[in-house]
Amino acid sequence: MLPVEEQLKVITSGTMQIVPLDELKKKLEKGTPLNIKLGVDPTSPDLHLGHAVPLRKMRQFQDLGHKVTLIIGNGTALIGDPSGRDSTRPPLTEEQVEANAKTYVEQAMKVLDPEKTTIVHNGDWIKPLNLGKMLGLMSKFNVARILEREDFHNRYTEGRSIALHEFIYPVLQAYDSVVIDADVEMGGNDQIFNLLAGRDLMRAEGMEPQVALTMPLLVGTDGTKKMSKSYKNYIGLTDAPADMFGKVMSIADEIVPMYYRLCSTCSLDEVDAIDRAFADGTADPYKLKRALGRNIVDLYHGAGEGEKAERAFDDLFKKHEIPEDIPQVSCDLTPNDDGQVYLARVLVEAGLAKSASEARRLIDGRGVKINGEAVAPKSYNVDPAMLAGATLQVGKRHFAKLA
RNA sequence: GGGGAUGUGGCACAGCGGCAACUGCGGCGGACUGUAAAUCCGCUCCUUCGGGUUCCUUGGUUCGAGUCCAAGCAUCCCCA
């Protein structure tokens, strides 16, 4: 293993908080592989780059010789993590959790080293808990302490509801740490309370407490809000290469260095150099963004895919050519009484518009093209001959080819 | 258990009983670009355009209800 100082350099890069740092140092000094914990709440099956941030940090731990325990929260899912929430989470069914967990693991393994990763389910030890044991765990925690949490505090002071069972979530998450004897628990910055709860409980159980390590929440492609599916500012790990590259190209300049640090496979030195270049104004954001796009696509789709995606991107957006792999759709092109086809309906069927009304508005706004030719406003009906095998386009980036 | 307040389109916030409903944000389309930022323009319930269906739910008053009344549901506040 590398010297402790070297390891710490890698580990601290990009982290938000390490509580406490000197305990982490002591653990590293033992020279034995540490057990790094990440709890996964399988609420939504699609991972994005934001989810990958802690995963990347864990991969760095693995590369340094440590091992990772991934906990699938099929037990804690019965509650739903209240962290950062302003309302109670809807509970998930067992089947949803399993299905989500499966896709989660598939995607996570693109980042993690499977050799050094153990996967466990916390339902295995949470579901058998009896009331006595439960109460025992709960007695180690204090309501006032839990109410200090920002999310609960906000909900409480803003008069939003907090269901009683939500208080139990940190308790169970802490119990996970006891069961697997974690050395370090990773999480997003919104997880800090839950991670600290783990420390408290481990100490109460007479164990060496885990170190809490949080990563910043990744800012989404809009550059302001955190990356989240609901804000539609996310880059999905399973996004198609060209799409992924394009989304990277669309991020704001200011957040490029952060993306390099948190999402790329670039070395610490390279990332530091990019930081400096941005700081003194010598950076070329456009070039760096393209390189970042290639790096990220390579990471999730395999070496070489990044360059391919970049070429496809240039064809599409620099030369305004129609991309090669556009979805094929078969639509009902039966003409109506006057021998025309209602284009608005076709656009809906092709998935390019939500409703016929929207399609009509798009046509009126000159946003619809057939084979590259803009459709004139008000021409909602078109000659079927124009449509057979035609390429439909809405806006700059939505295409469909008619069968 | 008692008293009070609130419930409008993804979000926020308007709306004397009489035009699908002000405005902002967001989103989408167009121009300009580096699918960045900034800026400008248009659109943002459904409808082959005739019309249809909306303002928590259900009833009621009315020629006419987002607006008035009643009950219910939900959330919040104060008291116990």
Side-chain angles (χ1 to χ4, degrees):
Chain A
M1 282 196 183
L2 284 172
V4 171
E5 286 306 320
E6 292 296 308
Q7 291 195 49
L8 275 176
K9 249 195 227 169
V10 175
I11 292 169
T12 52
S13 163
T15 55
M16 190 81 187
Q17 305 186 64
I18 299 179
V19 189
L21 185 58
D22 56 317
E23 274 185 37
L24 175 63
K25 210 166 157 186
K26 282 201 195 101
K27 283 174 184 281
L28 289 169
E29 278 163 358
K30 291 183 199 164
T32 51
L34 300 182
N35 187 16
I36 317 297
K37 170 192 170 190
L38 179 71
V40 176
D41 229 17
T43 42
S44 98
D46 287 317
L47 296 197
H48 54 59
L49 278 185
H51 298 113
V53 170
L55 292 173
R56 283 217 48 75
K57 182 53 69 183
M58 293 207 293
R59 174 57 188 252
Q60 291 175 333
F61 268 107
Q62 291 179 322
D63 291 344
L64 292 169
H66 303 286
K67 55 186 186 145
V68 159
T69 305
L70 203 58
I71 298 181
I72 305 295
N74 64 333
T76 35
L78 298 172
I79 301 177
D81 187 359
S83 294
R85 299 275 301 185
D86 58 7
S87 60
T88 310
R89 277 185 194 271
L92 291 172
T93 67
E94 191 79 11
E95 294 76 43
Q96 283 172 314
V97 171
E98 267 323 300
N100 291 353
K102 190 163 166 283
T103 43
Y104 183 97
V105 169
E106 272 168 26
Q107 294 172 56
M109 284 309 158
K110 287 181 179 173
V111 178
L112 294 175
D113 178 350
E115 297 282 305
K116 294 175 183 161
T117 306
T118 311
I119 297 170
V120 291
H121 289 69
N122 67 6
D124 292 350
W125 56 82
I126 285 178
K127 288 180 187 169
L129 282 176
N130 61 31
L131 186 61
K133 181 71 184 166
M134 228 9 255
L135 293 173
L137 291 173
M138 286 163 69
S139 70
K140 304 283 200 314
F141 291 86
N142 190 302
V143 171
R145 200 52 220 295
I146 291 182
L147 268 177
E148 282 171 16
R149 293 177 51 146
E150 203 185 358
D151 39 32
F152 280 144
H153 179 78
N154 288 347
R155 281 164 69 177
Y156 191 68
T157 52
E158 285 165 19
R160 292 170 178 275
S161 93
I162 304 173
L164 189 55
H165 74 293
E166 294 183 81
F167 279 164
I168 312 303
Y169 191 91
V171 178
L172 294 180
Q173 183 169 341
Y175 185 54
D176 288 348
S177 297
V178 170
V179 172
I180 69 154
D181 192 10
D183 287 303
V184 176
E185 179 165 8
M186 302 267 326
N189 195 43
D190 55 348
Q191 283 287 316
I192 188 69
F193 183 90
N194 291 346
L195 307 191
L196 293 176
R199 278 176 64 78
D200 292 343
L201 189 62
M202 289 174 88
R203 202 183 286 121
E205 300 278 329
M207 304 169 75
E208 182 184 309
Q210 65 181 1
V211 169
L213 192 159
T214 63
M215 299 303 293
L217 291 177
L218 187 67
V219 175
T221 52
D222 58 1
T224 51
K225 288 190 287 245
K226 69 167 185 178
M227 183 172 285
S228 160
K229 231 178 150 179
S230 40
Y231 297 144
K232 292 187 181 159
N233 61 357
Y234 69 101
I235 302 179
L237 300 191
T238 54
D239 281 353
D243 204 19
M244 193 180 256
F245 187 88
K247 284 183 182 175
V248 174
M249 288 307 290
S250 79
I251 66 174
D253 288 358
E254 309 81 70
I255 60 175
V256 168
M258 191 198 306
Y259 270 56
Y260 264 99
R261 190 169 295 280
L262 298 177
C263 306
S264 78
T265 58
C266 292
S267 73
L268 210 50
D269 291 339
E270 291 172 291
V271 174
D272 286 341
I274 288 166
D275 256 359
R276 282 194 302 275
F278 265 89
D280 64 26
T282 55
D284 179 344
Y286 182 54
K287 282 213 177 90
L288 283 171
K289 229 194 266 187
R290 293 178 73 99
L292 179 65
R294 289 195 300 271
N295 183 287
I296 290 175
V297 174
D298 276 350
L299 170 59
Y300 294 105
H301 291 284
E305 289 298 318
E307 278 189 43
K308 269 196 236 166
E310 184 178 30
R311 275 199 300 277
F313 169 83
D314 285 345
D315 285 346
L316 179 51
F317 292 105
K318 297 191 110 175
K319 302 176 202 158
H320 293 285
E321 282 174 9
I322 292 164
E324 281 164 32
D325 52 341
I326 51 180
Q328 285 269 348
V329 291
S330 49
C331 298
D332 180 14
L333 296 180
T334 319
N336 53 24
D337 295 343
D338 33 83
Q340 303 256 292
V341 177
Y342 185 42
L343 181 58
R345 190 88 254 151
V346 174
L347 289 167
V348 174
E349 274 188 63
L352 296 173
K354 282 202 292 285
S355 67
S357 298
E358 183 180 81
R360 292 167 71 108
R361 283 183 226 116
L362 286 166
I363 291 169
D364 290 345
R366 297 181 178 279
V368 176
K369 288 178 186 165
I370 298 174
N371 291 327
E373 293 282 320
V375 176
K378 304 285 175 203
S379 40
Y380 309 127
N381 289 291
V382 295
D383 189 339
M386 278 177 69
L387 285 176
T391 299
L392 299 177
Q393 179 180 358
V394 169
K396 274 177 268 199
R397 61 188 107 161
H398 303 293
F399 294 90
K401 190 169 172 60
L402 292 173

